[in-house]
CSV table of all heavy atoms in Angstrom, one decimal:
chain,number,residue,atom,x,y,z
A,1,MET,N,0.9,-1.1,0.0
A,1,MET,CA,0.0,0.1,0.0
A,1,MET,C,0.9,1.2,0.0
A,1,MET,O,1.8,1.4,0.7
A,1,MET,CB,-0.8,-0.1,1.2
A,1,MET,CG,-1.8,1.1,1.3
A,1,MET,SD,-2.5,1.0,2.9
A,1,MET,CE,-4.1,1.6,2.5
A,2,ALA,N,0.6,2.2,-0.8
A,2,ALA,CA,1.5,3.3,-1.0
A,2,ALA,C,1.2,4.4,0.2
A,2,ALA,O,0.0,4.4,0.6
A,2,ALA,CB,1.2,4.1,-2.1
A,3,SER,N,2.1,5.1,0.7
A,3,SER,CA,1.9,6.0,1.8
A,3,SER,C,1.5,7.3,1.2
A,3,SER,O,1.6,7.6,0.0
A,3,SER,CB,3.1,6.3,2.5
A,3,SER,OG,4.3,6.7,1.8
A,4,ALA,N,0.7,8.1,1.9
A,4,ALA,CA,0.3,9.5,1.6
A,4,ALA,C,1.4,10.4,1.4
A,4,ALA,O,2.5,10.2,2.0
A,4,ALA,CB,-0.8,10.0,2.6
A,5,PRO,N,1.4,11.3,0.3
A,5,PRO,CA,2.5,12.1,0.2
A,5,PRO,C,2.6,13.2,1.3
A,5,PRO,O,1.5,13.5,1.9
A,5,PRO,CB,2.0,12.9,-1.2
A,5,PRO,CG,0.6,12.7,-1.3
A,5,PRO,CD,0.2,11.5,-0.7
A,6,SER,N,3.9,13.5,1.5
A,6,SER,CA,4.0,14.4,2.6
A,6,SER,C,3.3,15.9,2.3
A,6,SER,O,3.2,16.3,1.2
A,6,SER,CB,5.4,14.7,3.0
A,6,SER,OG,6.1,15.3,2.0
A,7,ASP,N,3.2,16.7,3.4
A,7,ASP,CA,2.6,18.1,3.2
A,7,ASP,C,3.7,18.9,2.3
A,7,ASP,O,3.2,19.6,1.5
A,7,ASP,CB,2.4,18.7,4.5
A,7,ASP,CG,1.1,18.1,5.2
A,7,ASP,OD1,0.2,17.6,4.5
A,7,ASP,OD2,1.0,18.3,6.3
A,8,ASP,N,5.0,18.7,2.6
A,8,ASP,CA,5.9,19.5,1.7
A,8,ASP,C,5.8,19.1,0.3
A,8,ASP,O,5.8,20.1,-0.5
A,8,ASP,CB,7.3,19.2,2.4
A,8,ASP,CG,7.6,19.7,3.8
A,8,ASP,OD1,6.8,20.8,4.2
A,8,ASP,OD2,8.4,19.3,4.5
A,9,LEU,N,5.7,17.8,0.1
A,9,LEU,CA,5.6,17.4,-1.4
A,9,LEU,C,4.3,18.0,-2.1
A,9,LEU,O,4.4,18.6,-3.1
A,9,LEU,CB,5.6,15.9,-1.5
A,9,LEU,CG,5.6,15.3,-2.8
A,9,LEU,CD1,6.8,15.7,-3.7
A,9,LEU,CD2,5.5,13.8,-2.8
A,10,PHE,N,3.2,18.1,-1.3
A,10,PHE,CA,1.9,18.5,-1.8
A,10,PHE,C,1.9,20.0,-2.0
A,10,PHE,O,1.6,20.5,-3.0
A,10,PHE,CB,0.8,18.2,-0.9
A,10,PHE,CG,-0.5,18.4,-1.5
A,10,PHE,CD1,-1.0,17.8,-2.5
A,10,PHE,CD2,-1.3,19.3,-0.8
A,10,PHE,CE1,-2.2,18.1,-3.1
A,10,PHE,CE2,-2.6,19.6,-1.3
A,10,PHE,CZ,-3.0,19.1,-2.4
A,11,ASP,N,2.7,20.7,-1.0
A,11,ASP,CA,2.8,22.2,-1.1
A,11,ASP,C,3.7,22.5,-2.3
A,11,ASP,O,3.4,23.5,-3.0
A,11,ASP,CB,3.4,22.7,0.2
A,11,ASP,CG,2.5,22.8,1.4
A,11,ASP,OD1,1.2,22.6,1.2
A,11,ASP,OD2,3.0,23.0,2.5
A,12,GLN,N,4.7,21.8,-2.6
A,12,GLN,CA,5.6,22.0,-3.7
A,12,GLN,C,4.8,21.8,-5.1
A,12,GLN,O,4.9,22.5,-6.0
A,12,GLN,CB,6.8,21.1,-3.7
A,12,GLN,CG,7.8,21.4,-4.8
A,12,GLN,CD,8.3,22.8,-4.7
A,12,GLN,OE1,8.7,23.3,-3.7
A,12,GLN,NE2,8.4,23.6,-5.8
A,13,PHE,N,4.0,20.7,-5.1
A,13,PHE,CA,3.1,20.5,-6.3
A,13,PHE,C,2.2,21.6,-6.6
A,13,PHE,O,2.1,22.2,-7.7
A,13,PHE,CB,2.4,19.2,-6.0
A,13,PHE,CG,1.3,18.9,-7.0
A,13,PHE,CD1,1.6,18.2,-8.3
A,13,PHE,CD2,0.0,19.3,-6.9
A,13,PHE,CE1,0.8,17.9,-9.2
A,13,PHE,CE2,-1.0,19.1,-8.0
A,13,PHE,CZ,-0.6,18.3,-8.9
A,14,LEU,N,1.6,22.2,-5.5
A,14,LEU,CA,0.7,23.3,-5.7
A,14,LEU,C,1.4,24.6,-6.0
A,14,LEU,O,1.0,25.4,-7.0
A,14,LEU,CB,-0.1,23.6,-4.4
A,14,LEU,CG,-1.2,22.4,-4.1
A,14,LEU,CD1,-1.7,22.8,-2.7
A,14,LEU,CD2,-2.2,22.5,-5.2
A,15,THR,N,2.5,24.9,-5.4
A,15,THR,CA,3.3,26.0,-5.7
A,15,THR,C,3.9,25.9,-7.2
A,15,THR,O,3.8,27.0,-7.9
A,15,THR,CB,4.7,26.1,-4.8
A,15,THR,OG1,4.1,26.1,-3.5
A,15,THR,CG2,5.6,27.3,-5.0
A,16,ASP,N,4.3,24.7,-7.7
A,16,ASP,CA,4.6,24.7,-9.2
A,16,ASP,C,3.7,25.1,-10.0
A,16,ASP,O,3.9,25.5,-11.2
A,16,ASP,CB,5.3,23.2,-9.4
A,16,ASP,CG,6.5,22.9,-8.6
A,16,ASP,OD1,7.2,23.9,-8.1
A,16,ASP,OD2,6.9,21.6,-8.5
A,17,ARG,N,2.4,25.0,-9.6
A,17,ARG,CA,1.4,25.2,-10.5
A,17,ARG,C,0.5,26.6,-10.3
A,17,ARG,O,-0.5,26.8,-10.6
A,17,ARG,CB,0.3,24.1,-10.3
A,17,ARG,CG,0.7,22.9,-11.2
A,17,ARG,CD,0.1,21.6,-10.6
A,17,ARG,NE,0.8,20.4,-11.3
A,17,ARG,CZ,2.0,19.9,-11.1
A,17,ARG,NH1,2.8,20.5,-10.1
A,17,ARG,NH2,2.5,18.9,-11.8
A,18,GLY,N,1.3,27.3,-9.6
A,18,GLY,CA,0.8,28.8,-9.3
A,18,GLY,C,-0.1,29.0,-8.0
A,18,GLY,O,-0.6,30.2,-7.9
A,19,HIS,N,-0.2,28.1,-7.3
A,19,HIS,CA,-1.0,28.3,-6.1
A,19,HIS,C,-0.3,28.7,-4.8
A,19,HIS,O,0.8,28.3,-4.7
A,19,HIS,CB,-1.8,26.9,-5.7
A,19,HIS,CG,-2.6,26.5,-6.8
A,19,HIS,ND1,-3.9,26.8,-6.9
A,19,HIS,CD2,-2.5,25.5,-7.8
A,19,HIS,CE1,-4.5,26.3,-8.0
A,19,HIS,NE2,-3.7,25.4,-8.5
A,20,GLU,N,-0.8,29.5,-4.0
A,20,GLU,CA,-0.3,30.0,-2.9
A,20,GLU,C,-0.6,28.8,-1.6
A,20,GLU,O,-1.6,28.3,-1.5
A,20,GLU,CB,-0.7,31.3,-2.3
A,20,GLU,CG,-0.4,32.4,-3.2
A,20,GLU,CD,-0.9,33.7,-2.7
A,20,GLU,OE1,-1.0,33.9,-1.5
A,20,GLU,OE2,-1.0,34.6,-3.5
A,21,THR,N,0.6,28.5,-0.9
A,21,THR,CA,0.4,27.6,0.1
A,21,THR,C,0.6,28.1,1.5
A,21,THR,O,0.4,27.4,2.5
A,21,THR,CB,1.4,26.4,-0.1
A,21,THR,OG1,2.7,26.9,-0.1
A,21,THR,CG2,1.1,25.7,-1.5
A,22,GLU,N,1.0,29.3,1.7
A,22,GLU,CA,1.2,30.1,2.8
A,22,GLU,C,-0.1,30.5,3.4
A,22,GLU,O,-1.0,30.9,2.6
A,22,GLU,CB,2.2,31.1,2.7
A,22,GLU,CG,3.6,30.9,2.3
A,22,GLU,CD,4.2,29.9,3.4
A,22,GLU,OE1,4.1,30.2,4.6
A,22,GLU,OE2,4.9,29.0,3.0
A,23,PRO,N,-0.4,30.5,4.7
A,23,PRO,CA,-1.6,31.1,5.2
A,23,PRO,C,-1.8,32.5,4.9
A,23,PRO,O,-0.8,33.3,4.9
A,23,PRO,CB,-1.5,30.9,6.7
A,23,PRO,CG,-0.2,30.1,7.0
A,23,PRO,CD,0.5,30.1,5.8
A,24,ALA,N,-3.0,32.9,4.7
A,24,ALA,CA,-3.2,34.3,4.2
A,24,ALA,C,-3.1,35.2,5.4
A,24,ALA,O,-3.6,34.9,6.5
A,24,ALA,CB,-4.7,34.4,3.6
A,25,ARG,N,-2.4,36.2,5.4
A,25,ARG,CA,-2.2,37.2,6.6
A,25,ARG,C,-2.4,38.6,6.0
A,25,ARG,O,-2.5,38.9,4.7
A,25,ARG,CB,-0.9,37.1,7.0
A,25,ARG,CG,-0.3,35.7,7.4
A,25,ARG,CD,0.6,35.6,8.7
A,25,ARG,NE,1.0,34.4,8.9
A,25,ARG,CZ,0.4,33.4,9.5
A,25,ARG,NH1,-0.9,33.6,9.9
A,25,ARG,NH2,1.0,32.3,10.0
A,26,TRP,N,-2.6,39.5,6.9
A,26,TRP,CA,-2.7,40.9,6.6
A,26,TRP,C,-1.5,41.4,5.9
A,26,TRP,O,-0.4,41.0,6.1
A,26,TRP,CB,-2.8,41.8,7.9
A,26,TRP,CG,-4.1,41.6,8.6
A,26,TRP,CD1,-4.1,41.0,9.8
A,26,TRP,CD2,-5.3,42.2,8.3
A,26,TRP,NE1,-5.5,41.0,10.3
A,26,TRP,CE2,-6.3,41.7,9.4
A,26,TRP,CE3,-5.9,43.0,7.4
A,26,TRP,CZ2,-7.6,42.1,9.5
A,26,TRP,CZ3,-7.3,43.4,7.5
A,26,TRP,CH2,-8.1,42.9,8.4
A,27,ASP,N,-1.7,42.3,4.9
A,27,ASP,CA,-0.6,43.0,4.3
A,27,ASP,C,-0.4,44.3,5.1
A,27,ASP,O,-1.3,44.6,5.8
A,27,ASP,CB,-0.9,43.5,2.9
A,27,ASP,CG,-1.0,42.3,1.9
A,27,ASP,OD1,-0.3,41.3,2.1
A,27,ASP,OD2,-1.9,42.5,0.8
A,28,ARG,N,0.6,44.9,5.1
A,28,ARG,CA,1.0,46.2,5.8
A,28,ARG,C,1.1,47.2,4.9
A,28,ARG,O,1.8,47.1,4.0
A,28,ARG,CB,2.2,45.9,6.8
A,28,ARG,CG,1.8,44.9,7.8
A,28,ARG,CD,2.8,44.9,8.9
A,28,ARG,NE,2.7,43.8,9.7
A,28,ARG,CZ,2.0,44.0,10.9
A,28,ARG,NH1,1.4,45.0,11.2
A,28,ARG,NH2,1.8,42.8,11.7
A,29,SER,N,0.6,48.4,5.3
A,29,SER,CA,0.8,49.6,4.6
A,29,SER,C,1.0,50.8,5.6
A,29,SER,O,0.1,51.2,6.1
A,29,SER,CB,-0.5,50.0,3.7
A,29,SER,OG,-0.4,51.1,3.0
A,30,TYR,N,2.2,51.1,5.6
A,30,TYR,CA,2.6,52.1,6.6
A,30,TYR,C,2.4,51.5,7.9
A,30,TYR,O,2.8,50.6,8.4
A,30,TYR,CB,2.0,53.5,6.4
A,30,TYR,CG,2.6,54.1,4.9
A,30,TYR,CD1,1.9,54.0,3.9
A,30,TYR,CD2,3.8,54.6,4.9
A,30,TYR,CE1,2.3,54.6,2.7
A,30,TYR,CE2,4.3,55.1,3.7
A,30,TYR,CZ,3.6,55.0,2.8
A,30,TYR,OH,3.9,55.5,1.4
A,31,ASN,N,1.4,52.4,8.7
A,31,ASN,CA,1.2,51.9,10.1
A,31,ASN,C,-0.3,51.3,10.1
A,31,ASN,O,-1.0,51.4,11.2
A,31,ASN,CB,1.3,53.1,11.1
A,31,ASN,CG,0.3,54.2,10.7
A,31,ASN,OD1,-0.1,54.3,9.6
A,31,ASN,ND2,0.1,55.0,11.8
A,32,LYS,N,-0.9,50.8,9.0
A,32,LYS,CA,-2.1,50.2,8.9
A,32,LYS,C,-2.0,48.8,8.4
A,32,LYS,O,-1.0,48.4,7.7
A,32,LYS,CB,-2.9,50.9,7.9
A,32,LYS,CG,-3.2,52.5,8.2
A,32,LYS,CD,-4.3,52.5,9.3
A,32,LYS,CE,-4.6,54.0,9.6
A,32,LYS,NZ,-5.6,54.1,10.5
A,33,LEU,N,-3.0,47.9,8.7
A,33,LEU,CA,-3.2,46.5,8.2
A,33,LEU,C,-4.0,46.8,6.8
A,33,LEU,O,-5.1,47.5,6.9
A,33,LEU,CB,-3.8,45.7,9.0
A,33,LEU,CG,-3.2,45.4,10.4
A,33,LEU,CD1,-4.1,44.6,11.3
A,33,LEU,CD2,-1.8,44.8,10.2
A,34,GLN,N,-3.6,46.0,5.9
A,34,GLN,CA,-4.4,46.1,4.6
A,34,GLN,C,-4.9,44.6,4.3
A,34,GLN,O,-4.2,43.8,4.2
A,34,GLN,CB,-3.4,46.6,3.5
A,34,GLN,CG,-4.2,46.8,2.2
A,34,GLN,CD,-3.3,47.5,1.0
A,34,GLN,OE1,-2.1,47.5,1.3
A,34,GLN,NE2,-4.0,48.0,0.1
A,35,CYS,N,-6.2,44.6,3.9
A,35,CYS,CA,-6.8,43.4,3.5
A,35,CYS,C,-6.2,43.0,2.2
A,35,CYS,O,-6.3,43.6,1.2
A,35,CYS,CB,-8.3,43.7,3.4
A,35,CYS,SG,-9.2,42.2,2.9
A,36,PRO,N,-5.9,41.7,2.2
A,36,PRO,CA,-5.2,41.1,0.9
A,36,PRO,C,-6.3,40.9,-0.1
A,36,PRO,O,-6.0,40.8,-1.3
A,36,PRO,CB,-4.6,39.8,1.3
A,36,PRO,CG,-5.2,39.5,2.6
A,36,PRO,CD,-5.7,40.7,3.2
A,37,ASP,N,-7.6,40.7,0.2
A,37,ASP,CA,-8.7,40.6,-0.8
A,37,ASP,C,-9.2,41.9,-1.4
A,37,ASP,O,-9.3,41.9,-2.5
A,37,ASP,CB,-9.8,39.8,-0.1
A,37,ASP,CG,-9.7,38.4,0.0
A,37,ASP,OD1,-8.6,37.8,-0.3
A,37,ASP,OD2,-10.5,37.6,0.7
A,38,CYS,N,-9.5,42.8,-0.6
A,38,CYS,CA,-10.2,44.0,-1.1
A,38,CYS,C,-9.3,45.3,-1.0
A,38,CYS,O,-9.6,46.2,-1.7
A,38,CYS,CB,-11.4,44.2,-0.4
A,38,CYS,SG,-11.6,44.8,1.2
A,39,GLY,N,-8.2,45.2,-0.2
A,39,GLY,CA,-7.4,46.3,-0.3
A,39,GLY,C,-7.8,47.3,0.9
A,39,GLY,O,-7.0,48.5,1.1
A,40,ALA,N,-8.8,47.2,1.7
A,40,ALA,CA,-9.1,48.1,2.7
A,40,ALA,C,-8.2,48.3,3.8
A,40,ALA,O,-7.5,47.3,4.1
A,40,ALA,CB,-10.6,47.7,3.3
A,41,LEU,N,-7.9,49.5,4.3
A,41,LEU,CA,-7.1,49.8,5.3
A,41,LEU,C,-7.7,49.6,6.7
A,41,LEU,O,-8.9,50.2,6.8
A,41,LEU,CB,-6.4,51.0,5.2
A,41,LEU,CG,-5.5,51.2,3.9
A,41,LEU,CD1,-5.0,52.6,3.7
A,41,LEU,CD2,-4.2,50.3,4.1
A,42,HIS,N,-7.0,49.2,7.7
A,42,HIS,CA,-7.5,49.0,9.1
A,42,HIS,C,-6.5,49.4,10.1
A,42,HIS,O,-5.3,49.3,9.7
A,42,HIS,CB,-8.2,47.5,9.3
A,42,HIS,CG,-9.2,47.2,8.4
A,42,HIS,ND1,-10.5,47.6,8.5
A,42,HIS,CD2,-9.1,46.4,7.2
A,42,HIS,CE1,-11.1,46.9,7.5
A,42,HIS,NE2,-10.4,46.3,6.8
A,43,ASP,N,-7.0,49.7,11.3
A,43,ASP,CA,-6.1,49.9,12.6
A,43,ASP,C,-5.3,48.6,12.7
A,43,ASP,O,-5.8,47.6,12.4
A,43,ASP,CB,-6.8,50.5,13.7
A,43,ASP,CG,-7.3,51.8,13.5
A,43,ASP,OD1,-6.7,52.6,12.7
A,43,ASP,OD2,-8.4,52.2,14.0
A,44,MET,N,-4.2,48.8,13.4
A,44,MET,CA,-3.3,47.6,13.8
A,44,MET,C,-4.1,46.5,14.6
A,44,MET,O,-3.7,45.3,14.6
A,44,MET,CB,-2.1,48.0,14.4
A,44,MET,CG,-1.2,48.8,13.5
A,44,MET,SD,-0.7,48.1,11.9
A,44,MET,CE,0.7,47.0,12.6
A,45,GLY,N,-5.0,46.8,15.3
A,45,GLY,CA,-5.8,45.9,16.1
A,45,GLY,C,-6.9,45.1,15.5
A,45,GLY,O,-7.6,44.4,16.1
A,46,ALA,N,-7.1,45.4,14.2
A,46,ALA,CA,-8.2,44.7,13.5
A,46,ALA,C,-8.1,43.1,13.4
A,46,ALA,O,-7.0,42.7,13.2
A,46,ALA,CB,-8.3,45.3,12.1
A,47,ALA,N,-9.3,42.6,13.6
A,47,ALA,CA,-9.3,41.0,13.6
A,47,ALA,C,-9.8,40.6,12.3
A,47,ALA,O,-9.6,39.5,11.8
A,47,ALA,CB,-10.0,40.4,14.7
A,48,THR,N,-10.8,41.3,11.8
A,48,THR,CA,-11.5,41.1,10.5
A,48,THR,C,-11.5,42.3,9.7
A,48,THR,O,-11.5,43.4,10.1
A,48,THR,CB,-12.9,40.5,10.6
A,48,THR,OG1,-13.7,41.5,11.2
A,48,THR,CG2,-12.9,39.2,11.5
A,49,CYS,N,-11.8,42.1,8.4
A,49,CYS,CA,-12.0,43.2,7.4
A,49,CYS,C,-13.3,43.6,7.6
A,49,CYS,O,-14.3,42.8,7.3
A,49,CYS,CB,-11.6,42.8,6.0
A,49,CYS,SG,-11.9,44.2,4.8
A,50,SER,N,-13.6,44.9,7.7
A,50,SER,CA,-15.0,45.5,8.1
A,50,SER,C,-15.6,45.7,6.7
A,50,SER,O,-16.8,45.9,6.6
A,50,SER,CB,-15.0,46.6,8.8
A,50,SER,OG,-14.2,47.7,8.3
A,51,VAL,N,-14.8,45.7,5.5
A,51,VAL,CA,-15.4,45.9,4.3
A,51,VAL,C,-15.9,44.7,3.6
A,51,VAL,O,-17.1,44.6,3.2
A,51,VAL,CB,-14.4,46.7,3.4
A,51,VAL,CG1,-15.0,46.8,2.0
A,51,VAL,CG2,-14.0,48.0,3.9
A,52,CYS,N,-15.1,43.7,3.5
A,52,CYS,CA,-15.4,42.4,2.9
A,52,CYS,C,-15.7,41.1,3.7
A,52,CYS,O,-16.0,40.1,3.3
A,52,CYS,CB,-14.4,42.0,1.7
A,52,CYS,SG,-12.8,41.5,2.3
A,53,GLY,N,-15.3,41.3,5.1
A,53,GLY,CA,-15.4,40.2,6.1
A,53,GLY,C,-14.3,39.1,6.1
A,53,GLY,O,-14.4,38.1,6.8
A,54,TRP,N,-13.1,39.5,5.3
A,54,TRP,CA,-12.0,38.5,5.3
A,54,TRP,C,-11.5,38.4,6.7
A,54,TRP,O,-11.5,39.4,7.4
A,54,TRP,CB,-11.0,39.1,4.3
A,54,TRP,CG,-9.8,38.3,4.3
A,54,TRP,CD1,-9.6,37.2,3.6
A,54,TRP,CD2,-8.6,38.5,5.1
A,54,TRP,NE1,-8.3,36.7,3.8
A,54,TRP,CE2,-7.7,37.4,4.6
A,54,TRP,CE3,-8.2,39.5,6.0
A,54,TRP,CZ2,-6.4,37.4,5.3
A,54,TRP,CZ3,-6.9,39.4,6.5
A,54,TRP,CH2,-6.0,38.3,6.1
A,55,VAL,N,-11.1,37.2,7.0
A,55,VAL,CA,-10.4,36.9,8.3
A,55,VAL,C,-9.1,36.2,8.1
A,55,VAL,O,-9.2,35.1,7.3
A,55,VAL,CB,-11.5,35.9,9.1
A,55,VAL,CG1,-10.7,35.5,10.5
A,55,VAL,CG2,-12.7,36.5,9.3
A,56,PRO,N,-7.9,36.6,8.8
A,56,PRO,CA,-6.7,36.0,8.6
A,56,PRO,C,-6.8,34.6,8.9
A,56,PRO,O,-7.3,34.3,9.9
A,56,PRO,CB,-5.7,36.8,9.2
A,56,PRO,CG,-6.5,37.6,10.2
A,56,PRO,CD,-7.8,37.6,9.6
A,57,GLU,N,-6.1,33.6,8.4
A,57,GLU,CA,-5.9,32.2,8.7
A,57,GLU,C,-4.9,32.2,9.9
A,57,GLU,O,-4.0,32.9,10.1
A,57,GLU,CB,-5.4,31.4,7.6
A,57,GLU,CG,-6.3,31.4,6.4
A,57,GLU,CD,-5.7,30.6,5.3
A,57,GLU,OE1,-4.6,29.8,5.5
A,57,GLU,OE2,-6.2,30.7,4.3
A,58,ALA,N,-5.3,31.4,10.7
A,58,ALA,CA,-4.4,31.2,12.1
A,58,ALA,C,-3.0,30.5,11.8
A,58,ALA,O,-2.8,29.8,10.8
A,58,ALA,CB,-5.2,30.3,13.1
């Protein structure tokens, strides 16, 4: 029985095909957090995007 591919191998497969494998996080613009989905700017303490509802992955 074949073993399941490792996460690293699967991540490399996805990366080679143009997919992002890193958890989505806030972008930073000066002293603000910027939503990677819609580009809205928020204060540094923001937990979710108040414009589109995006939540960073843990």
Side-chain angles (χ1 to χ4, degrees):
M1 178 186 216
S3 63
S6 70
D7 286 340
D8 292 336
L9 183 62
F10 189 62
D11 286 348
Q12 185 62 45
F13 173 83
L14 291 174
T15 301
D16 290 346
R17 285 151 182 82
H19 298 277
E20 292 185 25
T21 58
E22 296 296 318
R25 304 217 188 282
W26 291 104
D27 294 328
R28 294 191 187 266
S29 180
Y30 298 100
N31 62 342
K32 299 283 187 178
L33 296 176
Q34 186 172 16
C35 175
D37 278 357
C38 71
L41 294 174
H42 300 282
D43 290 329
M44 294 301 280
T48 63
C49 178
S50 60
V51 175
C52 70
W54 177 84
V55 178
E57 295 177 14

